[in-house]
Amino acid sequence: MTNETKYDIIFVVPRYRAKDGFIWKAIEYRFQSPGVLSLATYLNSRGFNTAILDCNLEQISDDDFISVFNERFGTSDYKYIGFSAATQTINSAYILAEKIKSERSKVQILFGGAHPSALPEDVLKNNFADFVFLGEGELAIEKLLLGEEIENIKGIAFKRNDEIINTGPCERISDLDSLPINDYSLVPMKNCKPLVGTYRKLPATIMVTARGCPGRCTFCSRVVGNKLSVMSPQRIFDEIKVLYYNYGFRQIIFYDDTFISTRNRIEEFCDLIINSDIKISWTCSSRVDKVYPDLLVKMKMAGCHQIMYGVESFNAQVLKNINKKTQPEDIHFAIKETQKAGIEARAAIMLGNPGDTIEILEDNIKQLKKLNPDLIQVTITTPIPGSQMFSEAMTHNQILTYDWDKYEGSDQIVKHENISFEELQKYYRKTYIKYYLRPSFIFRTLFKANSFLKIKVLIIGGFSIIPVIFSGLGKRKKRK
């Protein structure tokens, strides 16, 4: 329904659609945008009025966007519309922004998120783009809405005549506890759909409890910076209480880059959960060199059932090449200790890292089968804008495509020094097939399926492998 409300800003999140043949296509998932929710909640708490149209959470296609937007906001008064986009969704954001601008030329279009923060000048080349907010947007957007001089607002890029002006890095929020708990009523949380294999209970949603990452991996986008800002254990617990009691969520998937970044914080958080009536299940991600056996036991007691580790490679030189600052023995220790604590271990590995060879890719498969994590996640190394890898490849004219839709982990973005793209595609499929279609893995997994929900997840997960297998068969058939 249309309304005549006056909004200071309307936020739009574009829809992400995985390509055919990519494993994420078969196991599509969707959640609220924690960053956009934080922006809207913060601005509302400061006396502004905002709204969110989350096309990803609501599964609104680019074709249907303008009709849905006009139905909800056609008679509303607003000056700004903010688009939040990652690299994989920036093209969709462009399409939506152009549609808005063509109908309401006086509306000013803001862009934010990982991709615009990394390449503000590239975004501002578009006629429909007026501003780009760099990194965290709460403080900078607040100042814009208050009418401060744009040149004096840190963390913003904008056009003036034919010149693009960048005011420099944004002002970081060091204490995340100072931000209000997200107002989840701003989006339809009932639409959340978790990734297959990441949940034990339903309904499930995500939380982000930290910003920034102290790591220096060359493939990671660091648009927020390396300084780590975190929520306190009590603040995490307070937000979980809202999700648990007010919205009925029983599974939390922590989306922090490395949740176990500060041991004491996680230990205190686990104590709060253990000593409460809240019975949630949860998962998180971690580096393999941030593993403490006694903490794993406590995490298990607090409801943690899975940890995803950024393995990337089992080769010491490759790990050095991507500045991972971990060793193969760290990987073995992390996965073994995690499973010993009764927590599932998910190993994320990348193919086509600098220094990779066919022999190394074969050894990765061998090591995975030997170590036997509960789940694996495979991607082709993708230099995302904002990463050191992308900057270096751009400087040396090694980028093969700037079609941002291809930056999702299944396409070749940079020509590899040792391995052809056809071979990378082959090993992308081969790693999944050789690992998941082993009789020992199948029997072990079936043996652990002790509930209807687990059986359902297994069936969906099994079907998700099929497009990976047959996409390869189709391509080989065409070449004959």
Side-chain angles (χ1 to χ4, degrees):
M1 292 178 63
T2 57
N3 66 77
E4 299 181 3
T5 305
K6 181 177 180 179
Y7 295 102
D8 294 289
I9 184 170
I10 298 171
F11 292 104
V12 176
V13 181
R15 185 179 181 182
Y16 168 65
R17 294 300 299 269
K19 299 196 311 292
D20 291 333
F22 192 32
I23 193 168
W24 302 120
K25 178 70 175 179
I27 49 177
E28 284 183 307
Y29 60 100
R30 54 185 176 271
F31 293 111
Q32 77 280 8
S33 168
V36 172
L37 261 182
S38 177
L39 283 170
T41 302
Y42 173 78
L43 293 172
N44 288 347
S45 75
R46 304 293 287 179
F48 299 102
N49 191 30
T50 71
I52 301 173
L53 180 55
D54 193 328
C55 298
N56 194 55
L57 187 58
E58 298 190 47
Q59 295 291 280
I60 300 169
S61 69
D62 294 351
D63 291 338
D64 293 336
F65 167 74
I66 202 67
S67 62
V68 174
F69 186 91
N70 286 335
E71 182 182 350
R72 295 191 194 178
F73 307 111
T75 59
S76 300
D77 183 21
Y78 50 89
K79 183 178 180 181
Y80 299 105
I81 296 182
F83 288 88
S84 176
T87 298
Q88 301 92 328
T89 59
I90 191 65
N91 284 338
S92 179
Y94 288 159
I95 292 169
L96 306 187
E98 191 167 24
K99 288 181 177 182
I100 290 288
K101 202 75 166 181
S102 66
E103 290 202 359
R104 295 202 178 191
S105 59
K106 292 183 180 180
V107 168
Q108 294 189 294
I109 303 292
L110 285 58
F111 281 89
H115 186 91
S117 295
L119 298 175
E121 290 81 9
D122 187 63
V123 174
L124 289 170
K125 288 177 184 176
N126 297 287
N127 293 329
F128 49 77
D130 296 297
F131 304 102
V132 170
F133 284 81
L134 314 172
E136 298 179 12
E138 285 91 350
L139 302 181
I141 295 179
E142 179 184 14
K143 290 176 181 178
L144 177 73
L145 298 182
L146 286 171
E148 292 193 19
E149 290 294 328
I150 300 173
E151 295 90 341
N152 298 330
I153 302 174
K154 289 292 184 183
I156 187 171
F158 60 96
K159 290 179 287 191
R160 174 164 290 163
N161 300 322
D162 294 329
E163 183 184 4
I164 293 177
I165 299 171
N166 188 322
T167 65
C170 68
E171 185 180 349
R172 290 289 307 276
I173 298 172
S174 58
D175 180 16
L176 297 189
D177 284 9
S178 66
L179 295 173
I181 291 175
N182 283 340
D183 179 0
Y184 291 99
S185 69
L186 292 170
V187 294
M189 292 295 290
K190 66 181 185 301
N191 289 7
C192 289
K193 179 183 177 183
L195 183 68
V196 171
T198 61
Y199 59 91
R200 285 278 178 86
K201 298 179 181 179
L202 289 174
T205 191
I206 60 174
M207 268 187 68
V208 174
T209 73
R211 295 180 180 180
C213 179
R216 298 290 196 279
C217 305
T218 63
F219 57 87
C220 272
S221 176
R222 294 197 296 271
V223 295
V224 173
N226 294 112
K227 178 185 175 183
L228 188 67
S229 302
V230 301
M231 291 181 185
S232 68
Q234 185 64 51
R235 174 62 172 73
I236 301 171
F237 182 66
D238 288 344
E239 187 148 346
I240 285 176
K241 285 195 293 185
V242 170
L243 289 167
Y244 187 86
Y245 290 116
N246 297 4
Y247 294 90
F249 285 100
R250 296 297 181 262
Q251 170 82 42
I252 304 295
I253 301 160
F254 290 106
Y255 257 37
D256 301 27
D257 290 330
T258 174
F259 188 66
I260 317 175
S261 52
T262 47
R263 174 176 176 162
N264 291 342
R265 183 176 81 113
I266 304 308
E267 193 162 9
E268 289 179 35
F269 162 69
C270 289
D271 286 335
L272 288 169
I273 292 292
I274 292 168
N275 295 321
S276 75
D277 293 328
I278 292 177
K279 305 302 177 186
I280 59 165
S281 199
W282 54 277
T283 68
C284 64
S285 298
S286 177
R287 288 175 57 90
V288 295
D289 57 351
K290 293 288 184 180
V291 175
Y292 314 98
D294 56 332
L295 179 59
L296 290 173
V297 172
K298 181 168 281 191
M299 289 169 64
K300 171 67 175 178
M301 291 173 59
C304 179
H305 68 87
Q306 185 183 114
I307 302 174
M308 185 175 81
Y309 290 107
V311 171
E312 324 315 352
S313 176
F314 285 90
N315 183 273
Q317 184 57 52
V318 169
L319 291 171
K320 185 177 180 180
N321 292 346
I322 59 177
N323 202 34
K324 188 70 181 178
K325 296 190 181 301
T326 57
Q327 298 296 325
E329 52 264 33
D330 295 328
I331 301 169
H332 286 262
F333 179 80
I335 291 177
K336 286 180 179 178
E337 291 298 322
T338 299
Q339 291 177 324
K340 189 186 297 183
I343 300 172
E344 290 182 349
R346 177 193 289 259
I349 194 160
M350 302 194 308
L351 313 180
N353 291 306
D356 264 344
T357 62
I358 293 298
E359 292 73 24
I360 290 174
L361 299 190
E362 285 286 353
D363 186 62
N364 283 340
I365 296 174
K366 179 181 176 182
Q367 294 298 325
L368 282 170
K369 291 164 71 174
K370 178 182 178 182
L371 192 54
N372 215 19
D374 298 274
L375 294 160
I376 65 169
Q377 180 174 309
V378 185
T379 55
I380 293 175
T381 302
T382 303
I384 294 291
S387 68
Q388 179 184 332
M389 192 179 286
F390 180 85
S391 298
E392 290 177 353
M394 221 172 62
T395 300
H396 296 98
N397 295 316
Q398 295 174 334
I399 303 289
L400 298 178
T401 177
Y402 288 97
D403 178 356
W404 306 122
D405 289 344
K406 293 184 177 180
Y407 281 62
E408 62 177 2
S410 63
D411 270 296
Q412 186 179 31
I413 306 303
V414 177
K415 186 175 182 181
H416 197 271
E417 70 267 31
N418 299 320
I419 309 172
S420 70
F421 182 49
E422 287 73 19
E423 289 172 315
L424 284 175
Q425 286 181 309
K426 171 187 172 183
Y427 275 89
Y428 171 76
R429 295 186 298 270
K430 185 175 182 178
T431 305
Y432 272 123
I433 294 167
K434 288 288 186 181
Y435 191 79
Y436 279 130
L437 298 189
R438 293 175 296 147
S440 60
F441 178 84
I442 293 170
F443 289 136
R444 182 188 69 166
T445 306
L446 289 173
F447 181 76
K448 293 193 300 181
N450 55 4
S451 70
F452 174 76
L453 184 58
K454 285 185 180 180
I455 294 171
K456 180 182 176 182
V457 167
L458 283 178
I459 293 171
I460 297 171
F463 277 107
S464 71
I465 295 292
I466 295 174
V468 176
I469 299 171
F470 284 97
S471 66
L473 292 175
K475 287 173 184 175
R476 285 198 293 272
K477 199 170 183 180
K478 287 179 183 178
R479 286 199 295 267
K480 288 183 179 179

